[in-house]
């Protein structure tokens, strides 16, 4: 399970959250800066990371650069200039020598895919990044990118995509594709950006599915967030789930979900009833890695 180091309210000092997370066994941290206040966010990340640097070899740091990321003044969020300039800035301001995993965030129709994949491959070849990834890419673009990465000698190792009880789109082709290609999938926003964080109130205007999910969670002796994380990680093809936390006890509670990753057929059926999976399109017998 991973944790987001940048996208929280900093209600608890960031270094305290990171130390608590490491103590719980969390070793993967997403340090994507916030575009709302990038300078202060990067400075806060740098201060929080400093005590962890002696343990750098046992920790994984990833980041997304692309749509919505700094520097926004540069054209083409999937361009070589935007990706590499953003990476250099992140390394400079956080004090890290390299990132373990860099994602190109969202497919940019204005930039040739060949340029985006070549930029990531270049970052790997320069030693600034260990592995290349994609974030928020559709299956067809992933297939095309895999072909290009293989030609460049830089395998695509992971795709990050939103996945939660309320957003199951990756079950319509992407998970199967990644499984066939041997690429990991990181589930972003398994708590649906906070919608699955707290029990719904009768007057909250929340979707009617949430009371049903809370009932299922209660039957499993879990909280609603624990159910959401356990469910996302039930798939062997999901290699990590990325959560955001602002308090140490949020991390402690959510980590307890790792003890309950098994679901009965009745529980899965009940979940499918209130949160239906997408209608799957027919899958071809063979999927090519070429565009």
């Amino acid at each position: 399970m991973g944790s987001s180091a940048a996208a929280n309210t900093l209600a608890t000092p960031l270094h305290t959250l990171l130390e608590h997370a490491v103590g719980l066994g969390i070793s993967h941290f997403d340090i994507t800066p916030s575009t709302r206040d990038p300078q202060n966010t990067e400075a806060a990340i740098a201060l929080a990371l400093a005590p962890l640097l002696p343990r750098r070899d046992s920790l994984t740091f990833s980041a997304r650069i692309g749509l919505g990321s700094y520097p926004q003044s540069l054209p083409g969020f999937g361009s070589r200039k935007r990706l590499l300039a953003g990476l250099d800035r992140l390394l400079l301001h956080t004090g890290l020598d390299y990132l373990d995993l860099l994602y190109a965030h969202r497919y940019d129709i204005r930039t040739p895919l060949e340029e985006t994949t070549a930029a990531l491959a270049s970052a790997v070849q320069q030693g600034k990044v260990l592995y290349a990834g994609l974030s928020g890419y559709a299956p067809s673009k992933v297939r095309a990118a895999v072909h290009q990465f293989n030609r460049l000698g830089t395998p695509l190792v992971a795709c990050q995509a939103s996945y939660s009880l309320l957003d199951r789109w990756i079950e319509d082709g992407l998970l199967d594709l990644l499984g066939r290609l041997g690429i990991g999938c990181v589930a972003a926003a398994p708590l649906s950006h906070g919608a699955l964080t707290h029990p719904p109130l009768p007057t909250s205007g929340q979707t009617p599915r949430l009371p049903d999910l809370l009932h299922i969670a209660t039957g499993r002796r879990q909280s609603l967030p624990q159910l959401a994380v356990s469910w996302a990680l039930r798939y062997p093809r999901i290699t990590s789930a990325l959560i955001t936390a602002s308090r140490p006890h949020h991390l402690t509670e959510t980590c307890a979900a790792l003890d309950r990753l098994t679901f009965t057929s009745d529980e899965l059926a009940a979940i499918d009833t209130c949160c239906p999976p997408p209608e799957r399109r027919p899958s071809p017998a063979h999927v090519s890695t070429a565009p």
Side-chain angles (χ1 to χ4, degrees):
M1 186 166 66
S3 176
S4 172
N8 60 67
T9 61
L10 301 185
T12 297
L14 188 52
H15 68 87
T16 301
L17 287 173
L18 291 179
E19 288 285 356
H20 186 71
V22 171
L24 291 172
I26 295 175
S27 59
H28 173 202
F29 299 93
D30 186 285
I31 59 170
T32 302
S34 169
T35 56
R36 291 173 295 184
D37 195 359
Q39 185 65 46
N40 289 339
T41 298
E42 289 167 344
I45 293 174
L47 288 173
L49 291 182
L52 301 182
L53 294 184
R55 290 172 278 181
R56 175 67 180 91
D57 291 345
S58 63
L59 302 175
T60 297
F61 295 107
S62 63
R64 291 171 286 111
I65 298 177
L67 182 63
S69 69
Y70 190 88
Q72 292 179 305
S73 59
L74 297 178
F77 60 82
S79 68
R80 179 180 181 87
K81 176 68 173 177
R82 184 78 165 265
L83 290 172
L84 297 185
L87 172 61
D88 286 343
R89 175 189 172 90
L90 184 62
L91 294 178
L92 175 65
H93 288 281
T94 59
L96 293 173
D97 292 328
Y98 66 93
L99 285 181
D100 296 275
L101 179 59
L102 176 63
Y103 299 98
H105 184 50
R106 300 293 181 88
Y107 171 66
D108 181 5
I109 61 173
R110 300 171 297 175
T111 301
L113 187 59
E114 293 86 352
E115 180 176 341
T116 299
T117 55
L120 289 174
S122 176
V124 172
Q125 292 158 7
Q126 293 175 45
K128 297 178 180 179
V129 173
L130 297 187
Y131 300 103
L134 298 175
S135 171
Y137 274 59
S140 62
K141 299 305 177 184
V142 171
R143 283 197 297 269
V146 165
H147 176 69
Q148 294 170 19
F149 277 122
N150 288 342
R151 286 193 305 166
L152 294 166
T154 305
L156 177 68
V157 302
C159 284
Q160 185 181 128
S162 59
Y163 184 50
S164 72
L165 287 161
L166 304 181
D167 183 9
R168 301 178 61 170
W169 75 273
I170 65 173
E171 294 178 22
D172 184 17
L174 182 61
L175 272 180
D176 288 340
L177 174 66
L178 297 180
R180 286 192 291 270
L181 297 177
I183 298 171
C185 183
V186 176
L191 301 181
S192 193
H193 304 287
L196 297 170
T197 302
H198 302 290
L201 300 174
T203 58
S204 66
Q206 296 275 17
T207 170
R209 293 177 290 183
L210 294 187
D212 295 330
L213 290 174
L214 182 58
H215 178 74
I216 297 170
T218 301
R220 287 171 51 84
R221 297 183 179 180
Q222 287 186 305
S223 65
L224 188 57
Q226 288 172 337
L227 170 68
V229 172
S230 293
W231 179 87
L233 289 172
R234 82 199 185 284
Y235 256 121
R237 293 171 185 166
I238 300 294
T239 55
S240 182
L242 185 64
I243 64 169
T244 299
S246 58
R247 304 283 187 185
H249 72 268
H250 294 160
L251 289 170
T252 302
E253 176 188 356
T254 307
C255 278
L258 300 177
D259 298 328
R260 298 292 309 278
L261 300 183
T262 302
F263 286 76
T264 67
S265 57
D266 287 343
E267 288 170 340
L268 290 175
I271 289 173
D272 287 347
T273 297
C274 60
C275 299
E279 294 184 7
R280 299 194 179 192
R281 303 181 184 89
S283 299
H286 301 284
V287 177
S288 171
T289 58

